[in-house]
Amino acid sequence: MTELKEQWEKALAEKDCEKLLELFDDYLDSIEDEDELRRELERLKDVVIECEDPYELAHEIGHVHAHLDDVEGGIELYKRLVELKKDDPEEYATALYYLADAYEHFGMPEKAIEVYQRLLEHEENVLKNEKEIALTLANLAVNYDELGETEKAIELMERAREIFERLKDEKNHMISLLDLAHFKYELGDYEAAEALIREVLRNPRDDEVEINAKLIEAEIWAGREDYDRAFKALREALLKAINVSDEMFGLVFDTLVDFIEGLFNEGSYEVIVRNMEPLTELFEDDTAYFFRAIGELARWKAGEEGAKARFDELYSKVENEELKAILDEWKRPKLSLSLGL
């Protein structure tokens, strides 16, 4: 028996949940046979339900089941936890939350809504904790929006906002305003969305709230086809995200890349060209060459002489393979099909 397996078996026998979490990736990755992997997951589930805090391991187990095209196998563990926690009102609420969150995470908003509704009733009738009620209303709103029921989402988020405001919970109040701005944008009410963003940005706020406000602001300007202002908002979000976290930076960077790709697809090359240098100024590594290369690619696609040579030179200086892959994709000619209708 290998040392890793010995450690795993010892942790299972001792129901050492922290150790199981520590070993999880390495041990599960070492199992090549799918049937054996499924059996191991079932053994682990029997231990997880006895963990003091089972939800991080449950999350990892859920992802393995999803990889095996068996999302319900992961959800089943959350359902077991809900049943086990029924006699403890606080623990029951926590278990319901994680079950709903799992449904949401794995792309089942209808199921998430069902469970969040159960949680809301429990909070209103048993726990009577206003902040938790507001958080659940907000989660319900997000899932209704996911289903395209945006007006219902606004109604629920307004209820959450009122509670956060009354409780003087500034951060959650600001987040609820951001969500409302996004919902209003989706309904095409750009003026209302912009007013909500202005309200967020003139209040004291933490960095993540400000970044998300700038992302929604960019969304609004793009919806109005004011692409220069959208770029400005995205640049401000990126500048702030650089010093916040890798996760926030990745979110903003991916949003920016998607926005630029959309402009390439529309043939809005001039807009791209005039907005690359302000982005370049934010970086000292090869990301600066990446944005400069995007500008030259736009010039090349617009037919400017010498742009291809400048693009190739800048491309050669980009060392990050993921950034090069983006440029590779964008420089390919787009095939267009016309239907004789």
Side-chain angles (χ1 to χ4, degrees), residues 262-281:
L263 292 174
F264 268 119
N265 292 338
E266 289 181 9
S268 301
Y269 304 129
E270 288 184 14
V271 177
I272 296 171
V273 168
R274 66 175 173 261
N275 283 286
M276 286 307 101
E277 196 56 34
L279 294 170
T280 299
E281 293 167 359

Side-chain angles (χ1 to χ4, degrees), residues 194-216:
E194 191 180 348
L196 286 162
I197 292 297
R198 282 199 304 270
E199 183 175 347
V200 171
L201 291 175
R202 70 169 168 258
N203 278 279
R205 58 200 176 271
D206 71 14
D207 289 339
E208 289 193 13
V209 169
E210 183 174 353
I211 289 165
N212 280 295
K214 285 294 175 183
L215 291 179
I216 298 172

